[in-house]
Amino acid sequence: EFILLGLSNTRELQVLSFTTFFLAYAMVLLGNLLLIVTVRTDPKLSSPMYFLLCNLSFIDICYTSVISPRMLVDLLSQRKAIAFEDCIAQLFFLHFVGASEMFLLTVMAYDRYTAICKPLHYTAIMSRQVCWVLVSSCWAGGFLHSIVQTLLTIQLPFCGPNKIDSYFCDVPPVIRLACTDIYVTEWLMASNSGLISLVCFLVLVVSYTFILVTIRVRFTEGHWKALSTCASHMMVVTLFFVPCIFIYLRPFSTFPSDKHICVIYTVLSPVMNPLIYTLRNNEVKVSMWKLWKRCR
């Protein structure tokens, strides 16, 4: 088994962290479930953008549920032990869902690029069949990425220290405990996780650059609305990708633990998604208000 050291050893900070993370987890669950129900019940929200947004909400629920419940229990526990099999399972599902979200955010950027830069061909390019293929590809890519990370981890021998300086099982803190030379393994993992994060982020930046150029050339009121949507999307993307690039695109054994930076993309980013996509979207807010009046 492994021992998770958590974020702090101070009891007062653990209680404060529990309260904060519990509220964050509740916001992620309620916000994303409300978004899914709203999109599914309103026929007006049937465009590819809302289909992809609905899938993003589902992924966020899965992503935060891989980490938060275990973290909340450990914050109130004296001994934060986790079995080796449970640790590997958490690592697998974390990378499975996390990589799937990276690919989906990239697909969403492509959707916005097509809608703004090629509006006349948008319906043909982003048909429902194409959307299903893109979403399925995101899940398949996430699965392949996670399988590689998991197989590289379980083939390592663990026979010495068992204390993980983090609040969840992830590749960098776990493979530091291996009692063998991990130089080749950590570079393989960094080239996998780190390059996926970097390439997806660069694709996002390029797509938004094309969008900004298009809006600058032919600016209308509709394009201003699109720009507002893209700006909020880019803010969420930056919160998610930049810490991931910092954590994974480097040798793991030569740098100290960055568990406090991990909070940004494991807790803060999933909270921001439903807030950004509801409070800054009038169509979603109107649909939610109709759903509220219908349920009263």
Side-chain angles (χ1 to χ4, degrees):
E1 65 179 13
F2 293 121
I3 305 297
L4 297 169
L5 298 183
L7 289 170
S8 173
N9 293 324
T10 308
R11 188 61 182 171
E12 291 76 11
L13 285 176
Q14 289 178 348
V15 173
L16 178 62
S17 298
F18 175 85
T19 305
T20 304
F21 294 144
F22 177 80
L23 292 175
Y25 185 47
M27 287 177 63
V28 171
L29 292 181
L30 295 175
N32 284 296
L33 284 173
L34 179 59
L35 196 56
I36 291 172
V37 171
T38 301
V39 172
R40 297 293 294 174
T41 55
D42 193 341
K44 293 182 180 179
L45 303 180
S46 58
S47 67
M49 180 180 77
Y50 293 112
F51 173 78
L52 297 174
L53 183 57
C54 203
N55 280 275
L56 179 64
S57 293
F58 176 72
I59 285 182
D60 271 338
I61 291 173
C62 297
Y63 182 70
T64 193
S65 295
V66 172
I67 299 173
S68 293
R70 175 86 204 190
M71 177 178 62
L72 292 172
V73 171
D74 285 344
L75 283 169
L76 300 180
S77 303
Q78 291 295 330
R79 190 170 184 270
K80 304 171 178 59
I82 182 171
F84 178 79
E85 294 80 6
D86 295 339
C87 184
I88 295 300
Q90 187 180 56
L91 185 151
F92 169 79
F93 286 108
L94 173 72
H95 281 266
F96 177 28
V97 183
S100 299
E101 178 161 356
M102 287 185 180
F103 295 136
L104 183 61
L105 287 169
T106 309
V107 169
M108 292 177 70
Y110 173 71
D111 171 72
R112 290 297 82 208
Y113 163 77
T114 307
I116 296 171
C117 300
K118 300 180 180 181
L120 298 179
H121 303 284
Y122 177 67
T123 306
I125 295 174
M126 295 299 295
S127 64
R128 181 52 63 98
Q129 183 179 2
V130 170
C131 288
W132 275 110
V133 170
L134 290 173
V135 169
S136 300
S137 300
C138 291
W139 284 103
F143 179 79
L144 290 174
H145 159 74
S146 186
I147 278 290
V148 172
Q149 297 292 85
T150 305
L151 291 177
L152 287 172
T153 302
I154 61 176
Q155 55 86 29
L156 295 172
F158 295 95
C159 53
N162 69 334
K163 293 182 179 180
I164 298 176
D165 189 15
S166 185
Y167 56 94
F168 66 103
C169 287
D170 195 9
V171 167
V174 169
I175 69 169
R176 287 194 188 105
L177 303 180
C179 30
T180 185
D181 183 16
I182 60 170
Y183 180 80
V184 175
T185 302
E186 67 181 344
W187 275 108
L188 288 173
M189 289 179 165
S191 63
N192 187 350
S193 294
L195 282 180
I196 286 176
S197 305
L198 181 62
V199 170
C200 288
F201 184 67
L202 291 178
V203 171
L204 285 161
V205 171
V206 170
S207 66
Y208 284 119
T209 302
F210 277 113
I211 289 173
L212 289 174
V213 170
T214 301
I215 291 175
R216 183 181 176 184
V217 172
R218 41 190 177 90
F219 194 83
T220 64
E221 185 178 349
H223 285 98
W224 173 256
K225 179 182 176 182
L227 178 61
S228 177
T229 302
C230 291
S232 59
H233 186 189
M234 196 62 200
M235 183 173 70
V236 175
V237 160
T238 302
L239 277 175
F240 185 69
F241 277 93
V242 172
C244 289
I245 294 171
F246 177 77
I247 293 292
Y248 295 112
L249 195 63
R250 62 183 189 174
F252 304 142
S253 59
T254 55
F255 288 86
S257 173
D258 295 298
K259 55 188 176 183
H260 295 95
I261 295 178
C262 296
V263 173
I264 298 175
Y265 66 87
T266 58
V267 178
L268 182 59
S269 181
V271 172
M272 293 297 293
N273 277 343
L275 293 176
I276 290 295
Y277 287 110
T278 54
L279 297 180
R280 294 183 60 85
N281 191 311
N282 288 327
E283 291 179 336
V284 174
K285 286 192 289 186
V286 170
S287 297
M288 284 184 174
W289 179 244
K290 290 180 180 177
L291 180 64
W292 168 254
K293 291 195 294 184
R294 198 186 316 160
C295 296
R296 276 172 46 177

